[in-house]
Amino acid sequence: MATGHKLLEVRNLKKYFPIEKGFFKRVVAYVKAVDGISFDLFEGETLALVGESGCGKTTTARCILRAIDPTEGQILLNIDGRMVDVAKLSRKELKPLRRYMQLIFQNPYTSLNPRLKVKEIVGEPLFVNKIAKGKELEEKVAELLEAVGLRPEYMVRYPHAFSGGQRQRIVIARALALRPRLVICDEPVAALDVSIRAQILNLLMELQEKFKLTYIFISHDLSVVQHVSDRVAVMYLGRIVELASTEELFDSPKHPYTESLLLSVPKPDPEAVEEFRPIEGEVPSPVNPPSGCHFHPRCQYAEEVCRTTVPEFRDVGLLENPHYVACHFAERLSLKGVRQL
Amino acid sequence: MRKVLEVRNLRTHFELVEGTVRAVDGVSFQLNEGEVLGIVGESGCGKSVTAQSIMRILPKSARIVDGEILFWNQQDVVDLTKLDSEGEQMRNIRGKDIAMIFQEPAACFAPVYTVGEQMIEAILLHEDMSKQEARRLALKMLEKVKIPNPESVLDRYSFQLSGGMLQRCMIAMALSLNPKVLIADEPTTALDVTIQAQIIYLVNQLQKEYSSAIMWITHDMGVIAQISDRVAVMYLGQIVETAPVKDLFRNPLHPYTRALLRSIPRLARRKKKLEAIKGVVPDPYNLPIGCRYHNRCDSFIQGLCDEREPTEVEVDVAHRVKCFLYGGR
């Protein structure tokens, strides 16, 4: 569980991708993939980033890891009590910090090098960081494989010999090799079968406890998110529209987009088949997002002010239980959560 | 209810260098007029191969080795397995009487022709009408699937449309000839949740208007619950349980169905640990002897499940299960 220490502070993070045209690569427009988001991450918690494709979840993750350079904003990482702005560091300064942050990818079929043995895949981070080599390296790899539920003897095999779920275990072992503080899980179970999904989710939760990990959990699947996360941030077109504790967000959402997301999840219960009208329209292009509140063209509660003014991202919750939302009418609307469905 | 399609003991095998994969191995079910049959299972269980066998669009390495696929066409009954897959009769049925929509709409439209050209071509292949009439029909169908600006969409290319829009176009194209059977192979898997909800809503609406029987393939229990009347659960090339949708969720019988339902995280039911199904789906080249689920099963009976294959038993009206716990010896 969360300890109350901040591990990460993201402030006004922006990432614009230029669209270039013609021989001189003139910049004609920008894709505003992430457009000014702020959130805190506390040690030991799982914060979920949810939203539909193109909402900027993965771009946010890649900025935090400095896999890409953010356009603007601060990413403050707590390193033994010191807040370091990851966004400002040079490549060289970043190197020693890389081990604090790791990533688990979506597709275990493409994130493992088919020419390396498991021993080399999981051992590589230890080797390049000069933590272990030779016999000691092998022991460490064996330990890691056991931690993720694989037999240590498997380390001499190549990735093709493993099923999807087992491969994802290898990816997890590699991510944990350097004992990171922050692990970003980018859709870690989306590519897996239902029966395997539960195994991997359980494993991730076990490992969190064992290694005191903090997760940013990226997913489009709300039922998975509800299961694993402590807090949830809902993203829409590059902005966070709502951020609250999982229970609060699912029981009493305050943003109309969150409500329609919750309504859209097909419930595994044939008795609950109801004639609801799903929200219309599709996510607009991030090159030319709607004015004001990005969600207004699809929102059934939208009024004139939504078209003209960007709603402030503000706290409408109680003191102990903050609930951030970016909607002009957050206080007025009474929206349906999952319990009322 | 009248039967439109009946699959009897279908076996479709793949001959590969590494050995034979029995992708579909003794599947029987029937599809009645106007109903939605959900077929659910994990990857590799043979649900798509079953669909491809019915459409006779199997890859070269696959062969239907046994079984019948009976299709009621007006008064005649044809066995689709007996037809030449590229022959006249099958080509007339495919696309007209039995239509299919696929998971990846972007891969199903050619990028070099407009959406309209492809829809019109499909209509003209089967119907005796002029190009203008076909265009009008295509336009009407796009309106039916609630595409905004249908006129302009007809003249656009697939890459200019979003995934949700293309999926609507594909549904419009499939329904334009008013097929008796519509096979939907994971049509919402590649879509976002809000778009998926729109498509499910649309299909539920259209179902009332067109009397097509729908075979809806998916791995998502949520989608199954929302869309189907009856469900068949597949595991490793076989149907292990068939039941009306409410029965299946209220009273799942086969240990695999039960485990599957327990392992899905549900909204409004937060619990720390999920009940996972142990083990992995076995290697398709060496299928387990006896019941194919026995090595992952909680109720495994030594000396029975690992030696003999259970037969299907009817436990309740239209609720059939293939498991020794309910007889089947």
Side-chain angles (χ1 to χ4, degrees):
Chain A
M1 262 327 273
T3 50
H5 292 295
K6 268 185 207 171
L7 179 66
L8 186 75
E9 257 179 60
V10 174
R11 289 290 171 268
N12 195 30
L13 179 69
K14 288 183 184 171
K15 177 67 194 176
Y16 293 174
F17 293 102
I19 300 174
E20 293 159 343
K21 227 179 188 169
F23 183 70
F24 294 106
K25 299 266 158 120
R26 197 163 42 91
V27 174
V28 289
Y30 288 95
V31 175
K32 296 179 178 175
V34 175
D35 197 11
I37 66 168
S38 304
F39 63 88
D40 294 335
L41 184 67
F42 298 96
E43 229 159 85
E45 77 165 342
T46 302
L47 173 72
L49 290 182
V50 298
E52 297 179 272
S53 39
C55 72
K57 324 181 277 280
T58 300
T59 307
T60 305
R62 292 173 68 201
C63 285
I64 293 172
L65 294 165
R66 272 294 294 279
I68 49 174
D69 295 334
T71 309
E72 215 183 293
Q74 292 178 303
I75 301 162
L76 302 165
L77 180 69
N78 183 340
I79 308 236
D80 309 319
R82 216 158 41 90
M83 294 307 260
V84 182
D85 188 353
V86 180
K88 300 273 179 316
L89 297 181
S90 68
R91 298 248 148 224
K92 212 171 143 199
E93 292 168 308
L94 260 172
K95 243 188 177 157
L97 296 189
R98 295 266 187 217
R99 52 183 302 183
Y100 287 96
M101 301 185 284
Q102 291 291 329
L103 181 63
I104 294 170
F105 299 90
Q106 169 170 359
N107 190 341
Y109 289 90
T110 52
S111 56
L112 295 172
N113 186 339
R115 290 162 180 250
L116 296 184
K117 288 177 185 159
V118 172
K119 180 167 66 177
E120 293 157 328
I121 292 170
V122 178
E124 194 168 28
L126 295 166
F127 185 76
V128 297
N129 282 285
K130 302 194 178 64
I131 289 172
K133 58 181 178 185
K135 194 90 195 86
E136 200 195 341
L137 183 70
E138 237 167 69
E139 275 164 27
K140 289 223 154 145
V141 171
E143 235 172 79
L144 282 161
L145 289 182
E146 253 172 81
V148 298
L150 288 174
R151 300 239 300 272
E153 305 90 79
Y154 288 173
M155 72 167 85
V156 292
R157 296 191 184 175
Y158 289 95
H160 71 83
F162 296 90
S163 68
Q166 289 172 318
R167 282 177 202 225
Q168 199 59 304
R169 288 176 193 266
I170 299 169
V171 174
I172 294 172
R174 175 178 63 186
L176 297 185
L178 293 169
R179 295 289 148 88
R181 308 267 297 284
L182 170 64
V183 177
I184 299 184
C185 311
D186 191 356
E187 303 265 13
V189 294
L192 304 176
D193 264 320
V194 220
S195 75
I196 308 301
R197 215 170 263 193
Q199 293 176 359
I200 298 295
L201 290 175
N202 284 341
L203 175 69
L204 284 171
M205 290 193 278
E206 271 167 45
L207 293 171
Q208 176 166 45
E209 217 151 274
K210 194 166 162 196
F211 295 106
K212 305 273 171 288
L213 301 170
T214 307
Y215 288 144
I216 292 181
F217 194 96
I218 296 174
S219 181
H220 67 279
D221 187 333
L222 287 161
S223 32
V224 168
V225 161
Q226 190 192 30
H227 200 82
V228 299
S229 57
D230 300 302
R231 290 192 304 145
V232 182
V234 180
M235 290 187 74
Y236 188 75
L237 271 184
R239 295 179 186 158
I240 294 181
V241 295
E242 188 164 3
L243 171 62
S245 71
T246 307
E247 246 152 68
E248 173 86 10
L249 189 114
F250 279 80
D251 290 346
S252 51
K254 296 258 183 272
H255 197 285
Y257 177 60
T258 311
E259 181 193 43
S260 42
L261 265 187
L262 293 175
L263 275 168
S264 298
V265 180
K267 278 139 223 80
D269 180 4
E271 324 269 338
V273 179
E274 77 239 74
E275 284 282 309
F276 85 95
R277 286 201 68 90
I279 45 165
E280 283 175 16
E282 302 190 359
V283 183
S285 152
V287 180
N288 191 9
S291 61
C293 171
H294 284 345
F295 188 58
H296 84 254
R298 303 174 76 191
C299 181
Q300 54 171 321
Y301 311 102
E303 289 179 26
E304 192 48 41
V305 61
C306 305
R307 267 174 277 279
T308 54
T309 322
V310 179
E312 192 197 344
F313 186 59
R314 61 195 200 280
D315 186 2
V316 297
L318 305 166
L319 199 57
E320 296 289 296
N321 196 2
H323 191 144
Y324 293 92
V325 60
C327 174
H328 292 298
F329 306 115
E331 288 89 350
R332 262 183 27 209
L333 298 173
S334 78
L335 304 175
K336 266 196 208 159
V338 282
R339 285 198 206 287
Q340 287 108 296
L341 293 181
Chain B
M1 264 192 293
R2 290 227 311 271
K3 269 192 274 193
V4 276
L5 188 77
E6 183 170 2
V7 173
R8 282 189 198 158
N9 195 30
L10 178 71
R11 289 177 204 275
T12 305
H13 294 178
F14 285 77
E15 301 290 346
L16 302 172
V17 261
E18 297 94 329
T20 305
V21 175
R22 292 182 279 160
V24 175
D25 209 19
V27 161
S28 304
F29 63 90
Q30 64 175 57
L31 190 60
N32 300 321
E33 215 163 62
E35 79 167 345
V36 183
L37 173 70
I39 296 199
V40 67
E42 297 176 87
S43 39
C45 74
K47 48 194 197 307
S48 292
V49 177
T50 305
Q52 290 169 0
S53 304
I54 297 170
M55 288 294 273
R56 300 294 307 278
I57 49 169
L58 288 163
K60 286 239 155 38
S61 53
R63 220 159 49 84
I64 298 177
V65 292
D66 193 14
E68 294 176 315
I69 300 170
L70 302 177
F71 175 62
W72 274 259
N73 200 359
Q74 273 97 37
Q75 273 73 44
D76 313 340
V77 186
V78 260
D79 182 355
L80 301 183
T81 61
K82 299 284 182 299
L83 301 182
D84 175 8
S85 67
E86 281 158 35
E88 173 96 37
Q89 210 182 348
M90 192 63 225
R91 290 214 318 268
N92 281 339
I93 292 174
R94 189 189 297 134
K96 181 178 190 312
D97 298 317
I98 307 180
M100 187 159 173
I101 53 180
F102 299 87
Q103 175 170 356
E104 199 52 73
C108 296
F109 282 96
V112 293
Y113 298 103
T114 61
V115 169
E117 280 166 345
Q118 295 176 64
M119 288 183 73
I120 291 165
E121 187 189 0
I123 295 169
L124 290 179
L125 252 172
H126 296 289
E127 296 287 338
D128 187 22
M129 52 168 82
S130 72
K131 232 174 164 174
Q132 283 74 30
E133 286 171 310
R135 192 184 162 90
R136 269 200 296 279
L137 176 59
L139 197 64
K140 194 188 95 191
M141 290 314 298
L142 289 185
E143 279 164 13
K144 278 252 154 62
V145 297
K146 306 270 159 29
I147 286 192
N149 275 328
E151 187 83 49
S152 78
V153 168
L154 271 184
D155 296 320
R156 282 207 230 169
Y157 294 92
S158 59
F159 53 83
Q160 295 172 306
L161 298 170
S162 68
M165 279 301 151
L166 271 183
Q167 196 55 273
R168 282 169 197 265
C169 291
M170 196 145 75
I171 293 172
M173 186 162 159
L175 289 179
S176 57
L177 295 164
N178 204 355
K180 295 203 175 57
V181 176
L182 177 68
I183 301 175
D185 190 359
E186 304 252 14
T188 60
T189 309
L191 306 175
D192 276 318
V193 268
T194 57
I195 309 300
Q196 168 171 287
Q198 290 172 1
I199 297 288
I200 291 175
Y201 180 77
L202 175 73
V203 172
N204 274 333
Q205 296 289 313
L206 290 173
Q207 167 77 12
K208 287 174 192 152
E209 192 178 330
Y210 292 81
S211 55
S212 309
I214 299 180
M215 187 175 138
W216 188 289
I217 297 170
T218 179
H219 67 276
D220 187 328
M221 278 292 189
V223 174
I224 281 286
Q226 297 299 309
I227 202 141
S228 40
D229 302 313
R230 246 167 9 103
V231 185
V233 182
M234 285 190 76
Y235 186 75
L236 278 179
Q238 299 180 330
I239 292 180
V240 295
E241 185 166 1
T242 326
V245 66
K246 286 188 181 168
D247 279 3
L248 189 92
F249 281 81
R250 212 185 290 144
N251 184 23
L253 296 177
H254 198 282
Y256 176 61
T257 317
R258 291 184 173 187
L260 211 52
L261 285 170
R262 274 200 308 266
S263 73
I264 43 176
R266 288 162 190 247
L267 290 178
R269 207 187 286 175
R270 189 167 148 88
K271 209 170 62 178
K272 262 296 165 189
K273 208 165 156 82
L274 287 167
E275 290 183 53
I277 303 182
K278 62 182 182 198
V280 294
V281 180
D283 176 21
Y285 298 108
N286 310 297
L287 293 174
I289 296 165
C291 171
R292 294 191 178 172
Y293 185 60
H294 81 254
N295 52 359
R296 303 177 77 188
C297 184
D298 300 327
S299 325
F300 163 58
I301 305 166
Q302 187 105 38
L304 182 63
C305 301
D306 54 351
E307 283 176 6
R308 287 196 294 139
E309 211 182 296
T311 52
E312 207 179 47
V313 260
E314 179 144 8
V315 180
D316 201 349
V317 186
H319 195 155
R320 283 196 295 276
V321 62
K322 201 173 155 82
C323 177
F324 285 121
L325 291 177
Y326 308 94
R329 289 170 202 233

